[in-house]
Amino acid sequence: MDELGALFHGFAVVLSPLNLGLMIVGIVLGVLIGVLPGLGGANGVAILLPLTFSMSPTSAIIMLSCIYWGALFGGAITSILFNIPGEPWSVATTFDGYPMAQNGQAGKALAAAFTSSFVGAFIAVVMITFLAPLVAKFALKFGPPEFFAVYLLTFCSFVGMGKGSPFKILASMAIGFALAAVGMDTVTGQLRLTFGIPDLMRGFDFLIAVIGLFGIGEILLSMEEGLKFSGKTAKLNPRVVLETWKELPRYWVTSLRSAAVGIWMGVTPGGATPASFMSYGLAKKMSRDGAKFGTGQVEGVVAPETAAHAAGTSALLPMLALGIPGSPTAAVLLGGLLIWGLQPGPLLFVEQKDFVWGLIASMYLGNIAGLLIVLTTVPLFAAILRVPFSIIAPVIIVICAIGAYTVHTAMLDVWLMLGFGVIGYVFKKLDYPLAPLVLALVLGDKAEDSFRQAMLVSQGDLAIMWSNLLVGSITGLALLLLLWPLLSRAWAGVRRPKRIELNREQPVD
Amino acid sequence: MEQDRGAGAARGGVSMLAVEVVVAVLVFALGLTILIGSWTLGSSWTSDGPGPGYFPFYISLIMCVSGVGIAVQALRKRPEGIFADGQQLRQVLVVLVPAALYVLAVQLIGLYIASALYIALFMALLGKYSPVKSTVAAVAIMVLFFLLFEVWFKVPLFKGAFNLLQFTGY
């Protein structure tokens, strides 16, 4: 019950007028970011990061994490009213949310979406409250080989759990690692891979990559279609909200299952987007009304929203407890920690109690505040979406440029951002995943350091990765996940050998 | 990324296969560049542990292998359809080219004035707004940003090689 005491201490830290004010500012900005195309959780937080440089770390993380909650809430608004997912994780919400809006049930769909987002986040926060300190305590025993094994597990799970070509996942990850290696070598102090260009000495900052890949890339993608907004208007009155709340407990099984899917996908770096799809798919298969999914079922809104929010929230667990982010947005928050002078990792729970528990307490309060704010301000944000794209697009590009410039006050970064934007556009169209690239760029140096330290300890013997039960089982699990695409194909081959033979027997002319 | 645009723009669209292969080749080329770069750094084992090029060397190997893998997969599966048709490419370039000009303008005359010009021109030329409306909106937005960054949050933004806003004292 130590955790409860610490949590109440955290509430005491958070409940200052300044922090509560920042929380509300953060939520409103976050919903705005979630609603606007081209600005998302990761790059929105990255752009706003410089605004927090002068704040105390606790206030800063409260505002930034509230931007994140707001963005998670905001994505649902555009999906339901305009059939345009503001965020990739709300794509699955459009399947049943937009039909509901067309049937005149926009208010009900929004209330269901917001409430189930809240439920998902709440379950995930409770999990973080009790699990994160345990994980951190456990991780204090970690040495360099254990940490490298955990990094390995993080990246291998992208390959094992990702969809699409494993080569594309590997390529995207390797590009991230390679970009991370550019600049000063942390061990020997040598310059690496700068090819004689002095500006490259600084290396590539992942914030620039995030702003370009997710911001500019998304704008280019939206421009392709020449966006036309034709949305439904929504009025959310208390009666509709209450009626929806009466109905929601019926779907408790779906909620719990979706939250579990979300938590699992969030802690292992699967991310909110696959979580929302998986949970929608499971709900469709398991629900009694599964056949009616896609025509405007409340359950079809509940499932993806709960999972997306649970995943988004639980992605902060590995970031807090191990210093390894579970999603690009968590990576941006981790970058923030470093800028504010905090060392992420298990020691955070020992040395920065105020910060950690303040953050966890703000997750509870931020989600409650978020729910209240979005329930009351939907018409306002829906109105923003009526601003034509020819105004919004240049403003977003300007905001991205400002964000890229302020990271290091360097103009080269703005050019790099533009380059990353083109890469983001091409990669998105070709189904290269972007999250592994960003996470490799963030964790590249640390993964390399822990690998080199481990190799120094063992005099270059790779057997150190199996030197005890802990490190051996993590490494083994990592390799299993890495080889998963091959194994699952082999398994499929063993199970259905007849079909292959049949194919072979068929005449080919 | 320049090549893939030129390759098929002539025939109303770029095929998915062409872009897949071109990107795979670029991934491979990047891998090769890093391979050579890390090789010269010393990718082998030195007296005090792995050399500075050790880790990047293996990363570049992964990159080369996955570049080949992607190309082979693309050539075997032969993805149907097009990456983007002519109309879509034009739309994308309509945003991308002015954005590049905008960044160039930022370099010269600073972020505030370049941004105001950019927003106004974008609205007037692409959004078909009246020049007056566009100018008012652009100036209003940039004044708001100026107050937000320079005055309230004390984050100075780039003023350019020719600082036209010197008179404000920021």
Side-chain angles (χ1 to χ4, degrees), chain A residues 51 165 167-168 171 174-175 177-178 185 190-192 220 223-225 388 390 394-395 397-399 402 405-406 411 414-415 418 425-426 429-430 432 448 451-452 455-456 460, chain B residues 16 20 23 34 41 45 48-50 52 54-56 59 63 66 70 73 83 88 91-92 95 100 102-104 106-107 111 115 118 122 127 129 141 145 149 153 155 157-158:
Chain A
L51 291 184
S165 160
F167 286 118
K168 285 183 176 170
I175 292 172
F177 274 118
D185 175 19
Q190 247 177 308
L191 284 182
R192 292 201 298 189
L220 294 178
M223 259 329 267
E224 231 180 36
E225 306 303 329
S390 49
V395 172
I397 290 182
V398 167
I399 293 174
I402 294 176
Y405 174 74
T406 44
M411 267 311 288
V414 184
W415 287 107
L418 214 55
Y425 166 72
V426 176
K429 292 216 78 170
L430 294 183
Y432 282 75
E448 185 183 355
F451 175 70
R452 284 164 83 172
M455 287 299 109
L456 281 179
Chain B
M16 205 59 151
E20 282 275 13
V23 173
I34 296 163
L41 266 173
W45 199 263
D48 57 344
Y54 189 83
F55 202 75
I59 290 298
M63 220 188 261
S66 45
I70 294 165
Q73 275 187 339
F83 178 75
Q88 289 174 326
Q91 286 280 6
V92 170
V95 178
Y102 159 65
V103 178
L104 188 69
V106 172
Q107 191 107 48
L111 197 133
S115 306
Y118 175 62
F122 199 106
Y129 282 88
I141 290 168
F145 277 143
F149 283 95
F153 280 91
V155 179
L157 297 184
F158 196 61

XYZ file of all heavy atoms in Angstrom, chain A residues 51 165 167-168 171 174-175 177-178 185 190-192 220 223-225 388 390 394-395 397-399 402 405-406 411 414-415 418 425-426 429-430 432 448 451-452 455-456 460, chain B residues 16 20 23 34 41 45 48-50 52 54-56 59 63 66 70 73 83 88 91-92 95 100 102-104 106-107 111 115 118 122 127 129 141 145 149 153 155 157-158:
711
model
N 8.001 25.185 -25.298
C 7.271 26.110 -24.425
C 7.490 25.773 -22.960
O 7.258 26.596 -22.083
C 5.773 26.063 -24.736
C 5.328 26.622 -26.076
C 3.813 26.586 -26.187
C 5.820 28.047 -26.258
N 5.476 -6.277 -44.162
C 6.751 -6.897 -44.443
C 7.739 -6.695 -43.312
O 7.999 -5.566 -42.917
C 7.325 -6.301 -45.731
O 8.710 -6.518 -45.779
N 10.830 -6.951 -43.492
C 11.978 -6.225 -44.023
C 11.770 -4.721 -43.895
O 12.700 -3.973 -43.607
C 12.210 -6.586 -45.490
C 12.800 -7.941 -45.688
C 12.123 -8.910 -46.384
C 14.045 -8.233 -45.159
C 12.671 -10.175 -46.560
C 14.608 -9.487 -45.331
C 13.910 -10.458 -46.032
N 10.531 -4.289 -44.101
C 10.254 -2.856 -44.011
C 10.403 -2.384 -42.570
O 10.897 -1.290 -42.307
C 8.850 -2.545 -44.535
C 8.798 -2.606 -46.039
C 7.447 -2.236 -46.580
C 7.518 -2.221 -48.095
N 6.208 -2.107 -48.717
N 14.096 -2.224 -41.972
C 14.711 -1.100 -42.657
C 14.432 0.193 -41.899
O 15.344 0.989 -41.624
C 14.171 -0.996 -44.081
N 16.495 0.250 -38.787
C 17.923 0.445 -39.029
C 18.213 1.894 -39.416
O 19.241 2.457 -39.018
C 18.395 -0.504 -40.129
N 17.299 2.509 -40.174
C 17.496 3.920 -40.520
C 17.531 4.748 -39.238
O 18.383 5.628 -39.070
C 16.374 4.406 -41.468
C 16.504 3.726 -42.821
C 16.434 5.914 -41.642
C 15.346 3.994 -43.765
N 18.395 3.756 -36.202
C 19.664 3.501 -35.504
C 20.816 4.232 -36.181
O 21.677 4.814 -35.522
C 19.968 2.000 -35.486
C 19.344 1.271 -34.343
C 18.423 0.270 -34.549
C 19.694 1.605 -33.040
C 17.847 -0.394 -33.495
C 19.128 0.933 -31.974
C 18.194 -0.062 -32.208
N 20.830 4.194 -37.530
C 21.928 4.824 -38.256
C 21.922 6.332 -38.019
O 22.976 6.936 -37.765
C 21.797 4.517 -39.744
N 30.585 10.210 -30.930
C 30.495 8.899 -30.295
C 30.617 9.087 -28.790
O 31.579 9.689 -28.305
C 31.628 8.004 -30.816
C 31.652 6.666 -30.109
O 30.626 6.308 -29.516
O 32.688 5.994 -30.163
N 34.886 10.251 -30.668
C 35.173 10.433 -32.081
C 33.930 10.912 -32.835
O 32.809 10.613 -32.421
C 35.601 9.084 -32.664
C 37.045 9.043 -33.097
C 37.377 7.653 -33.573
O 37.139 6.647 -32.884
N 37.924 7.572 -34.760
N 34.134 11.624 -33.936
C 33.007 11.992 -34.784
C 32.677 10.825 -35.685
O 33.568 10.200 -36.248
C 33.346 13.218 -35.625
C 33.328 14.546 -34.892
C 33.623 15.664 -35.858
C 31.998 14.762 -34.207
N 31.366 10.545 -35.793
C 30.986 9.390 -36.602
C 30.059 9.804 -37.725
O 29.122 10.579 -37.519
C 30.244 8.375 -35.735
C 31.127 7.738 -34.711
C 30.549 6.456 -34.242
N 29.252 6.641 -33.587
C 28.646 5.674 -32.953
N 29.186 4.486 -32.913
N 27.495 5.882 -32.379
N 0.984 16.343 -46.417
C 1.125 15.955 -47.821
C 0.105 14.883 -48.180
O -0.524 14.923 -49.235
C 2.547 15.448 -48.091
C 3.655 16.495 -47.968
C 5.010 15.862 -48.206
C 3.438 17.634 -48.938
N -3.280 16.431 -48.440
C -3.415 17.308 -49.597
C -3.728 16.518 -50.849
O -4.376 17.012 -51.754
C -2.105 18.088 -49.819
C -2.107 19.502 -49.328
S -3.685 20.323 -49.389
C -3.585 21.112 -50.993
N -3.250 15.266 -50.877
C -3.491 14.434 -52.031
C -4.967 14.402 -52.405
O -5.326 14.457 -53.566
C -3.049 13.007 -51.684
C -2.144 12.415 -52.684
C -1.743 11.030 -52.281
O -2.563 10.297 -51.706
O -0.590 10.674 -52.534
N -5.791 14.312 -51.384
C -7.221 14.200 -51.637
C -7.866 15.565 -51.782
O -9.029 15.656 -52.160
C -7.903 13.435 -50.490
C -7.276 12.074 -50.205
C -7.271 11.175 -51.435
O -8.179 11.294 -52.266
O -6.318 10.384 -51.562
N -11.606 26.359 -43.471
C -11.152 25.647 -44.671
C -9.696 25.206 -44.574
O -8.881 25.847 -43.907
C -11.311 26.690 -45.783
C -12.230 27.706 -45.233
C -12.072 27.700 -43.756
N -7.408 25.386 -46.701
C -6.404 26.288 -47.273
C -5.919 27.317 -46.257
O -4.947 28.015 -46.505
C -6.958 26.980 -48.513
O -8.219 27.519 -48.226
N -1.380 25.916 -44.358
C -0.164 26.729 -44.193
C 0.147 27.009 -42.727
O 1.320 27.040 -42.346
C -0.474 28.011 -44.960
C -1.944 28.070 -45.062
C -2.411 26.649 -45.124
N -0.903 27.182 -41.909
C -0.652 27.465 -40.492
C 0.045 26.270 -39.839
O 0.986 26.441 -39.058
C -1.962 27.823 -39.757
C -1.726 27.920 -38.265
C -2.514 29.130 -40.290
N 1.948 24.098 -41.322
C 3.347 24.038 -41.785
C 4.187 25.075 -41.037
O 5.314 24.795 -40.618
C 3.405 24.218 -43.316
C 2.808 22.967 -43.968
C 4.835 24.431 -43.787
C 2.838 22.951 -45.453
N 3.619 26.261 -40.822
C 4.336 27.288 -40.054
C 4.607 26.782 -38.635
O 5.725 26.902 -38.114
C 3.538 28.609 -40.034
C 4.109 29.570 -39.002
C 3.534 29.251 -41.407
N 3.593 26.172 -38.015
C 3.768 25.670 -36.650
C 4.861 24.597 -36.613
O 5.698 24.583 -35.702
C 2.431 25.114 -36.096
C 1.434 26.250 -35.912
C 2.642 24.391 -34.786
C 0.055 25.793 -35.508
N 8.216 26.303 -36.840
C 8.576 26.919 -35.551
C 9.061 25.841 -34.590
O 10.100 25.980 -33.938
C 7.366 27.667 -34.951
C 6.989 28.867 -35.822
C 7.676 28.132 -33.532
C 5.753 29.599 -35.355
N 12.483 24.577 -35.496
C 13.539 25.564 -35.250
C 13.878 25.658 -33.763
O 15.044 25.692 -33.379
C 13.115 26.934 -35.781
C 14.106 28.011 -35.434
C 15.329 28.088 -36.095
C 13.846 28.918 -34.415
C 16.262 29.046 -35.769
C 14.772 29.886 -34.077
C 15.980 29.944 -34.746
O 16.904 30.879 -34.408
N 12.847 25.656 -32.917
C 13.091 25.919 -31.502
C 13.823 24.794 -30.779
O 14.344 25.018 -29.698
C 11.774 26.207 -30.752
O 10.819 25.248 -31.181
C 11.281 27.595 -31.018
N 18.578 26.562 -38.182
C 17.787 26.564 -39.412
C 17.927 25.255 -40.173
O 17.010 24.830 -40.866
C 18.215 27.724 -40.328
C 17.421 28.998 -40.160
S 15.636 28.769 -40.187
C 15.345 28.414 -41.912
N 15.147 22.935 -39.800
C 13.900 23.171 -40.532
C 13.968 22.501 -41.903
O 12.997 21.902 -42.364
C 13.626 24.682 -40.659
C 12.289 24.926 -41.318
C 13.659 25.350 -39.297
N 15.147 22.584 -42.531
C 15.315 21.880 -43.810
C 15.193 20.376 -43.619
O 14.549 19.683 -44.400
C 16.680 22.213 -44.429
C 16.753 23.601 -44.978
C 17.427 24.655 -44.440
C 16.113 24.107 -46.157
N 17.253 25.768 -45.208
C 16.456 25.464 -46.281
C 15.291 23.525 -47.125
C 16.000 26.264 -47.323
C 14.839 24.313 -48.174
C 15.198 25.672 -48.262
N 11.679 19.241 -43.395
C 11.035 19.145 -44.701
C 11.400 17.818 -45.377
O 10.545 17.134 -45.948
C 11.483 20.331 -45.562
C 10.487 20.914 -46.550
C 9.210 21.321 -45.866
C 11.101 22.095 -47.277
N 5.873 10.911 -45.988
C 4.805 10.735 -46.979
C 5.017 9.443 -47.774
O 4.110 8.614 -47.885
C 4.792 11.962 -47.893
C 3.990 11.809 -49.158
C 2.598 11.773 -49.118
C 4.615 11.719 -50.400
C 1.862 11.636 -50.271
C 3.883 11.590 -51.559
C 2.505 11.539 -51.495
O 1.793 11.394 -52.644
N 6.253 9.262 -48.277
C 6.541 8.071 -49.089
C 6.401 6.805 -48.242
O 5.768 5.826 -48.648
C 7.953 8.158 -49.702
C 8.289 6.889 -50.451
C 8.037 9.353 -50.647
N 2.811 5.841 -47.525
C 2.118 5.258 -48.676
C 2.605 3.844 -48.960
O 1.867 3.028 -49.486
C 2.331 6.140 -49.903
C 1.644 7.460 -49.771
C 1.087 7.946 -51.072
C -0.195 7.250 -51.424
N -0.864 7.875 -52.569
N 3.863 3.557 -48.625
C 4.411 2.230 -48.902
C 4.281 1.287 -47.706
O 4.819 0.181 -47.734
C 5.888 2.335 -49.293
C 6.203 3.041 -50.607
C 7.683 3.005 -50.879
C 5.450 2.412 -51.757
N 5.672 1.481 -44.731
C 6.806 1.329 -43.811
C 6.335 1.880 -42.466
O 5.791 2.972 -42.415
C 7.991 2.185 -44.258
C 8.814 1.653 -45.394
C 8.348 1.710 -46.693
C 10.079 1.136 -45.166
C 9.105 1.246 -47.753
C 10.849 0.679 -46.219
C 10.359 0.734 -47.503
O 11.127 0.281 -48.539
N 23.211 1.223 -27.873
C 24.603 0.978 -28.240
C 25.500 1.035 -27.005
O 26.372 0.191 -26.818
C 25.050 2.007 -29.275
C 26.444 1.707 -29.756
C 26.965 2.733 -30.741
O 26.205 3.628 -31.118
O 28.139 2.634 -31.099
N 25.133 -2.028 -24.989
C 25.755 -3.156 -25.678
C 27.270 -3.111 -25.502
O 27.903 -4.111 -25.163
C 25.392 -3.106 -27.171
C 26.077 -4.150 -27.993
C 25.737 -5.487 -27.852
C 27.068 -3.813 -28.896
C 26.357 -6.459 -28.599
C 27.707 -4.784 -29.646
C 27.345 -6.112 -29.500
N 27.847 -1.908 -25.680
C 29.308 -1.816 -25.586
C 29.783 -2.042 -24.160
O 30.829 -2.662 -23.937
C 29.770 -0.463 -26.117
C 29.730 -0.446 -27.632
C 29.788 0.924 -28.214
N 31.139 1.433 -28.305
C 31.446 2.568 -28.943
N 30.500 3.279 -29.502
N 32.678 2.989 -28.985
N 29.688 -5.686 -23.590
C 30.792 -6.350 -24.284
C 32.114 -6.105 -23.565
O 33.003 -6.959 -23.555
C 30.883 -5.838 -25.725
C 29.785 -6.346 -26.634
S 29.775 -8.126 -26.807
C 28.330 -8.573 -25.899
N 32.245 -4.915 -22.954
C 33.468 -4.639 -22.195
C 33.562 -5.561 -20.988
O 34.628 -6.084 -20.664
C 33.493 -3.182 -21.742
C 33.896 -2.163 -22.807
C 33.855 -0.757 -22.247
C 35.290 -2.480 -23.338
N 33.959 -9.105 -24.911
C 33.515 -9.395 -26.266
C 32.856 -10.740 -26.443
O 32.669 -11.186 -27.564
N 3.139 1.648 -58.124
C 3.538 1.237 -56.791
C 4.872 0.492 -56.852
O 5.765 0.728 -56.045
C 2.457 0.310 -56.238
C 2.384 0.250 -54.765
S 2.083 1.876 -54.094
C 1.216 1.488 -52.629
N 8.308 1.294 -54.855
C 8.803 0.270 -53.917
C 10.269 -0.036 -54.207
O 11.109 -0.056 -53.304
C 7.987 -1.031 -54.065
C 6.619 -1.028 -53.410
C 6.681 -1.401 -51.946
O 7.797 -1.418 -51.382
O 5.623 -1.661 -51.361
N 12.672 3.005 -53.559
C 12.929 3.219 -52.131
C 13.820 2.121 -51.581
O 14.730 2.387 -50.791
C 11.596 3.323 -51.343
C 11.857 3.381 -49.855
C 10.834 4.559 -51.775
N 26.733 3.967 -45.132
C 27.071 3.842 -43.720
C 28.072 2.709 -43.513
O 28.976 2.806 -42.680
C 25.795 3.627 -42.884
C 24.920 4.872 -43.007
C 26.103 3.350 -41.436
C 23.518 4.666 -42.597
N 35.857 4.050 -39.926
C 35.958 4.435 -38.520
C 36.649 3.362 -37.690
O 37.156 3.632 -36.609
C 34.564 4.640 -37.936
C 33.994 6.044 -37.945
C 32.550 5.972 -37.485
C 34.783 6.949 -37.028
N 37.044 -4.986 -33.523
C 37.250 -4.996 -32.084
C 38.598 -4.334 -31.789
O 39.619 -4.716 -32.336
C 37.266 -6.444 -31.619
C 37.026 -6.568 -30.176
C 37.975 -6.701 -29.220
C 35.780 -6.574 -29.541
N 37.384 -6.765 -28.004
C 36.033 -6.686 -28.166
C 34.450 -6.471 -29.984
C 35.013 -6.710 -27.230
C 33.452 -6.502 -29.058
C 33.739 -6.614 -27.689
N 40.344 -1.757 -26.433
C 39.473 -1.460 -25.287
C 37.999 -1.665 -25.631
O 37.135 -0.907 -25.210
C 39.720 -0.032 -24.781
C 39.514 0.998 -25.884
O 39.479 0.589 -27.059
O 39.384 2.187 -25.560
N 37.713 -2.679 -26.404
C 36.311 -2.985 -26.662
C 35.918 -2.695 -28.091
O 36.773 -2.480 -28.944
N 34.604 -2.710 -28.365
C 34.141 -2.500 -29.729
C 34.498 -1.097 -30.211
O 34.358 -0.138 -29.459
C 32.624 -2.660 -29.642
C 32.309 -2.981 -28.235
C 33.521 -2.831 -27.408
N 34.308 2.453 -32.533
C 33.152 3.338 -32.739
C 32.302 2.947 -33.942
O 31.136 3.304 -34.017
C 33.786 4.721 -32.936
C 35.218 4.475 -33.245
C 35.578 3.181 -32.608
N 31.663 -0.199 -34.781
C 31.190 -1.572 -34.616
C 29.673 -1.686 -34.757
O 29.163 -2.447 -35.565
C 31.632 -2.060 -33.238
C 31.411 -3.525 -32.964
C 32.319 -4.478 -33.398
C 30.305 -3.934 -32.241
C 32.124 -5.811 -33.128
C 30.099 -5.267 -31.967
C 31.000 -6.213 -32.409
O 30.806 -7.514 -32.147
N 28.963 -0.880 -33.979
C 27.499 -0.938 -33.960
C 26.908 -0.468 -35.295
O 26.123 -1.201 -35.898
C 27.000 -0.096 -32.789
C 25.635 -0.440 -32.309
C 25.407 -1.580 -31.563
C 24.569 0.398 -32.597
C 24.146 -1.886 -31.104
C 23.302 0.092 -32.137
C 23.082 -1.044 -31.392
N 27.337 0.732 -35.794
C 26.802 1.183 -37.085
C 27.075 0.197 -38.216
O 26.265 0.061 -39.128
C 27.529 2.501 -37.360
C 28.002 2.960 -36.050
C 28.202 1.758 -35.202
N 24.394 -2.352 -38.115
C 23.141 -1.699 -38.497
C 23.085 -1.549 -40.016
O 22.060 -1.807 -40.655
C 23.063 -0.311 -37.814
C 22.869 -0.458 -36.313
C 21.951 0.534 -38.420
C 21.617 -1.147 -35.929
N 20.489 -2.914 -42.837
C 19.846 -2.040 -43.799
C 20.000 -2.578 -45.219
O 19.044 -2.607 -45.990
C 20.485 -0.661 -43.698
C 19.486 0.455 -43.818
S 20.361 1.997 -43.913
C 20.255 2.573 -42.332
N 17.827 -5.653 -45.647
C 16.397 -5.389 -45.763
C 16.082 -4.655 -47.058
O 15.007 -4.851 -47.628
C 15.856 -4.647 -44.539
O 16.699 -3.599 -44.185
N 13.262 -6.096 -49.420
C 12.082 -5.350 -49.862
C 11.979 -5.396 -51.389
O 10.895 -5.616 -51.943
C 12.152 -3.889 -49.371
C 12.068 -3.835 -47.849
C 11.020 -3.067 -49.970
C 12.475 -2.507 -47.269
N 10.858 -8.871 -52.462
C 9.431 -9.060 -52.175
C 8.569 -8.299 -53.168
O 7.558 -8.797 -53.663
C 9.119 -8.574 -50.758
C 9.381 -9.637 -49.714
C 8.915 -9.193 -48.354
O 8.756 -8.004 -48.089
N 8.709 -10.138 -47.460
N 1.116 4.373 -57.085
C 1.521 5.050 -55.863
C 0.711 6.337 -55.708
O 0.167 6.630 -54.657
C 3.017 5.349 -55.940
C 3.568 6.092 -54.768
C 3.780 5.452 -53.569
C 3.868 7.434 -54.877
C 4.294 6.140 -52.491
C 4.378 8.120 -53.800
C 4.597 7.474 -52.600
N -2.919 13.688 -57.950
C -2.473 13.646 -56.552
C -1.059 14.187 -56.420
O -0.765 14.952 -55.507
C -2.537 12.208 -56.036
C -3.951 11.721 -55.836
C -3.997 10.257 -55.471
O -3.172 9.465 -55.926
N -4.963 9.883 -54.670
N -1.125 17.861 -56.531
C -1.592 18.411 -55.253
C -0.466 18.429 -54.222
O -0.295 19.384 -53.479
C -2.752 17.570 -54.710
C -4.053 17.766 -55.441
C -4.763 19.019 -54.989
O -4.235 19.794 -54.201
N -5.941 19.246 -55.514
N 0.282 17.315 -54.182
C 1.352 17.217 -53.198
C 2.442 18.246 -53.497
O 2.930 18.947 -52.606
C 1.939 15.788 -53.178
C 3.201 15.729 -52.353
C 0.917 14.828 -52.621
N 1.834 21.771 -52.480
C 2.141 22.093 -51.087
C 3.641 22.061 -50.829
O 4.189 22.927 -50.150
C 1.432 21.104 -50.139
C 1.778 21.401 -48.704
C -0.046 21.191 -50.340
N 9.022 24.508 -49.496
C 10.477 24.638 -49.612
C 10.865 26.102 -49.828
O 11.803 26.615 -49.199
C 10.987 23.777 -50.763
N 9.199 28.584 -48.827
C 8.928 29.236 -47.544
C 10.120 29.091 -46.605
O 10.559 30.070 -45.987
C 7.655 28.648 -46.942
C 7.506 28.826 -45.453
C 7.375 30.096 -44.897
C 7.504 27.723 -44.602
C 7.242 30.265 -43.538
C 7.375 27.880 -43.239
C 7.253 29.152 -42.719
O 7.139 29.315 -41.361
N 10.683 27.864 -46.525
C 11.828 27.665 -45.623
C 13.008 28.521 -46.086
O 13.725 29.128 -45.274
C 12.215 26.177 -45.546
C 13.428 25.986 -44.656
C 11.060 25.363 -45.022
N 13.168 28.627 -47.421
C 14.225 29.483 -47.959
C 13.982 30.936 -47.537
O 14.911 31.644 -47.112
C 14.251 29.363 -49.483
C 15.417 30.056 -50.175
C 16.702 29.315 -49.855
C 15.196 30.095 -51.681
N 12.370 31.940 -44.932
C 12.644 32.060 -43.499
C 14.128 32.320 -43.287
O 14.537 33.181 -42.496
C 12.213 30.790 -42.743
C 12.682 30.844 -41.294
C 10.719 30.611 -42.807
N 14.942 31.573 -44.030
C 16.387 31.730 -43.911
C 16.802 33.176 -44.189
O 17.701 33.712 -43.547
C 17.053 30.791 -44.934
C 18.528 30.638 -44.756
C 18.889 29.278 -44.183
O 18.417 28.248 -44.660
N 19.676 29.272 -43.149
N 11.443 34.281 -39.646
C 10.278 33.424 -39.599
C 8.956 34.179 -39.668
O 8.037 33.776 -40.363
C 10.338 32.593 -38.309
C 9.409 31.391 -38.345
C 10.147 30.179 -37.876
C 8.184 31.617 -37.505
N 6.494 33.718 -42.762
C 5.280 32.957 -42.476
C 4.041 33.734 -42.869
O 3.103 33.177 -43.438
C 5.202 32.609 -40.994
O 6.361 31.953 -40.589
N 3.720 33.620 -46.521
C 3.372 32.270 -46.952
C 1.885 32.002 -46.746
O 1.188 31.538 -47.652
C 4.230 31.274 -46.178
C 3.913 29.826 -46.407
C 4.049 29.259 -47.664
C 3.489 29.017 -45.362
C 3.768 27.935 -47.875
C 3.216 27.690 -45.565
C 3.351 27.141 -46.824
O 3.073 25.817 -47.023
N -0.709 31.502 -49.768
C -1.385 30.200 -49.827
C -2.900 30.396 -49.884
O -3.598 29.810 -50.693
C -1.002 29.386 -48.578
C -1.235 27.909 -48.702
C -0.166 27.045 -48.871
C -2.512 27.375 -48.631
C -0.364 25.679 -48.964
C -2.725 26.016 -48.732
C -1.643 25.170 -48.903
N -6.478 29.003 -51.955
C -7.788 29.016 -51.329
C -8.736 29.977 -51.993
O -9.916 30.028 -51.647
N -9.055 33.165 -51.726
C -9.612 34.205 -50.869
C -9.260 35.558 -51.461
O -8.309 35.674 -52.239
C -9.051 34.102 -49.467
C -9.690 33.015 -48.664
C -9.187 31.717 -48.705
C -10.795 33.266 -47.884
C -9.778 30.694 -48.001
C -11.401 32.263 -47.168
C -10.887 30.983 -47.234
O -11.488 29.975 -46.530
N -2.577 36.081 -37.516
C -2.023 34.824 -36.995
C -0.579 35.034 -36.550
O -0.177 34.606 -35.460
C -2.106 33.719 -38.077
C -3.561 33.327 -38.295
C -1.300 32.496 -37.665
C -3.785 32.464 -39.515
N 1.361 34.684 -32.919
C 2.546 33.854 -32.673
C 3.680 34.675 -32.070
O 4.401 34.206 -31.200
C 3.020 33.192 -33.977
C 2.271 31.936 -34.304
C 1.947 31.611 -35.617
C 1.893 31.060 -33.304
C 1.255 30.454 -35.915
C 1.198 29.911 -33.593
C 0.874 29.609 -34.903
N 5.337 33.603 -28.595
C 6.701 33.110 -28.449
C 7.638 34.167 -27.873
O 8.308 33.930 -26.871
C 7.233 32.596 -29.798
C 6.680 31.264 -30.148
C 5.561 31.151 -30.956
C 7.248 30.116 -29.645
C 5.031 29.919 -31.263
C 6.732 28.877 -29.949
C 5.611 28.782 -30.760
N 6.244 33.510 -23.821
C 7.044 32.353 -23.421
C 8.545 32.587 -23.571
O 9.341 31.730 -23.250
C 6.628 31.107 -24.222
C 5.394 30.463 -23.692
C 4.150 30.822 -24.175
C 5.461 29.521 -22.688
C 2.995 30.241 -23.688
C 4.319 28.933 -22.194
C 3.083 29.300 -22.692
N 10.631 32.642 -26.036
C 11.382 31.740 -26.907
C 11.655 32.504 -28.197
O 10.742 32.713 -28.988
C 10.588 30.449 -27.220
C 11.384 29.543 -28.142
C 10.234 29.730 -25.942
N 12.472 33.337 -31.932
C 12.453 32.583 -33.176
C 13.397 33.237 -34.181
O 13.861 34.357 -33.981
C 11.034 32.530 -33.745
C 10.014 31.816 -32.854
C 8.671 31.737 -33.540
C 10.475 30.421 -32.486
N 13.654 32.523 -35.295
C 14.654 32.970 -36.256
C 14.230 34.274 -36.944
O 13.126 34.372 -37.467
C 14.861 31.876 -37.298
C 16.095 32.039 -38.105
C 17.336 32.030 -37.493
C 16.034 32.210 -39.475
C 18.493 32.173 -38.230
C 17.187 32.351 -40.219
C 18.413 32.335 -39.603
